[in-house]
Amino acid sequence: MNIRQILQRKSINTIYSVAPGETVYEALQLMAAKNIGAVLVLDGGDLVGIFSERDYARKGILQGRASKDTLIRDVMTSSLITIAPEQLLESAMLTMSEKHIRHLPVLEGERLIGIISINDVVNAIIHDQKARISSLESYISGSSY
């Protein structure tokens, strides 16, 4: 299974984003309203970073910054790790595990086409394993699949 297939299976494949000049508070409001753990940071349509709950905890709260006075550009992660839609699920799992990250922006060339989370990866694995089990059960019982 590749990343494009994961994006296609997502019930909601909306890209939620903020601008670097918005406040952390505004980003947190969006994240709470959409029940998501991270937002992409876009500057004029260009992907320049990601802001996550982890960024807020480590670069905001623990450093004594006020969310209404802190700009996203000051706390976002700008050294982005991305994935291409042709890459396989296993590649995403390995990257997320090795880099200790929970979100991967998906770029087709230079164009942002989505984002996958660790939850998307887990759901894809569960779906794939259920299909394999069903196929094996059909094979063992001799029924057509």
Side-chain angles (χ1 to χ4, degrees):
M1 178 179 304
N2 66 29
I3 302 307
R4 186 180 311 280
Q5 292 168 310
I6 294 171
L7 287 177
Q8 291 169 344
R9 283 191 180 157
K10 288 178 71 161
S11 58
I12 299 173
N13 191 22
T14 304
I15 298 171
Y16 296 106
S17 66
V18 295
E22 290 185 55
T23 65
V24 167
Y25 187 79
E26 291 168 314
L28 292 172
Q29 282 182 311
L30 175 62
M31 290 163 62
K34 301 302 179 185
N35 195 29
I36 54 176
V39 290
L40 297 176
V41 183
L42 301 178
D43 189 6
D46 294 329
L47 179 63
V48 295
I50 188 168
F51 175 74
S52 68
E53 295 165 332
R54 186 180 289 177
D55 292 319
Y56 177 59
R58 294 180 180 175
K59 301 174 192 170
I61 294 172
L62 290 178
Q63 293 184 9
R65 296 178 181 202
S67 63
K68 289 186 177 181
D69 300 325
T70 303
L71 299 180
I72 289 296
R73 74 170 46 93
D74 298 328
V75 292
M76 70 181 190
T77 297
S78 56
S79 56
L80 288 172
I81 299 166
T82 63
I83 195 161
E86 304 80 31
Q87 287 183 259
L88 298 177
L89 172 63
E90 291 78 12
S91 177
M93 290 182 349
L94 185 62
T95 298
M96 289 174 149
S97 179
E98 286 178 347
K99 303 295 183 180
H100 305 283
I101 57 175
R102 297 180 183 145
H103 302 88
L104 276 173
V106 182
L107 296 178
E108 190 163 43
E110 296 293 315
R111 188 173 67 92
L112 176 66
I113 63 167
I115 184 170
I116 61 168
S117 69
I118 192 69
N119 190 47
D120 298 325
V121 170
V122 169
N123 285 335
I125 292 168
I126 290 169
H127 181 271
D128 187 51
Q129 295 210 346
K130 281 183 180 179
R132 286 177 195 229
I133 290 169
S134 178
S135 178
L136 288 171
E137 286 174 342
S138 294
Y139 178 75
I140 290 169
S141 68
S143 59
S144 62
Y145 47 98

